[in-house]
Amino acid sequence: MLENIPQEILIEILKRVPVKSLLKCRKRAYSNGVFHWLARAPGKEGSPDKLTLASFDLGDEVFREMMFPDDLAQVNENHLSLVVYGESLALLQHLSWKSDDFSWSLGYYESCCIWVLKKHGEGRSWSKQYTFGMQDYGGLVRVLSFRKNGEVLLQIRSSELASYDPETNRVICHGGYPYRSYYKVHTYMESLLLL
């Protein structure tokens, strides 16, 4: 969805964000007519900056700030991702970072925790859904998407695509390229309209 918005409009939106800094603008999600970004807001006098969620509502064209779950208030933002989970906003908390000896960039996580915003716009409604581990599969490179059937589509350390079913805790490997690959998943909505 964000790819379809002209860059000059995104830049104008970002200029007006009422927080100190946006964190890696790729950590963003669009849900229920609202753009969301991971951000840092200035802390109260003498206290450190705090992680927050900055948002811009396309309906009323208002910027807002929303609280993080208390358990994630002090988490390093490099281990968080913002995604859409069904119709809800979700935070992925990547746990236990490991790095190969020769390259920090070829690291992986041992597990991932999924937090879902139950009531849109209410920061106190974050709920921890589940945590899953990928140690038996060499580690988790990243979560790619959520499937309609509830499974989590992910990239594991062997550069394979895999699905994790939270109901059965079952992992199915789908194969992949033999070398470190970068996968991207895009969602689409079928339409009879011609572009």
Side-chain angles (χ1 to χ4, degrees), residues 8-31:
E8 57 272 3
I9 292 175
L10 274 177
I11 290 170
E12 189 59 34
I13 289 171
L14 295 175
K15 284 181 188 175
R16 298 178 188 193
V17 174
V19 292
K20 183 176 175 185
S21 65
L22 294 175
L23 298 174
K24 298 181 183 176
C25 220
R26 64 188 158 99
K27 294 190 176 192
R28 63 187 189 259
Y30 176 81
S31 173

Side-chain angles (χ1 to χ4, degrees), residues 15-16 23 27 37 41 69 71 73 76 87 109 116 133-134 153 156 184:
K15 284 181 188 175
R16 298 178 188 193
L23 298 174
K27 294 190 176 192
W37 295 270
D71 291 355
N76 181 327
E87 296 294 316
Y109 296 97
V116 175
M134 289 286 112
L153 184 63
I156 56 179
K184 240 180 164 174

Side-chain angles (χ1 to χ4, degrees), residues 148-159:
K148 285 184 181 179
N149 64 5
E151 291 181 352
V152 183
L153 184 63
L154 32 98
Q155 180 178 353
I156 56 179
R157 190 167 175 221
S158 63
S159 288

Side-chain angles (χ1 to χ4, degrees), residues 40-85:
R40 283 211 170 272
K44 294 186 177 154
E45 196 170 317
S47 62
D49 293 350
K50 63 178 181 161
L51 275 176
T52 188
L53 206 56
S55 65
F56 180 75
D57 189 317
L58 293 176
D60 59 13
E61 297 182 354
V62 173
F63 286 99
R64 292 186 176 83
E65 191 178 329
M66 190 176 3
M67 293 175 46
F68 260 48
D70 290 339
D71 291 355
L72 300 181
Q74 301 303 319
V75 170
N76 181 327
E77 63 269 8
N78 291 323
H79 303 296
L80 295 172
S81 297
L82 191 61
V83 297
V84 176
Y85 179 81

Side-chain angles (χ1 to χ4, degrees), residues 138-155:
L140 169 70
V141 174
R142 63 196 180 100
V143 171
L144 297 168
S145 184
F146 295 93
R147 301 175 75 178
K148 285 184 181 179
N149 64 5
E151 291 181 352
V152 183
L153 184 63
L154 32 98
Q155 180 178 353

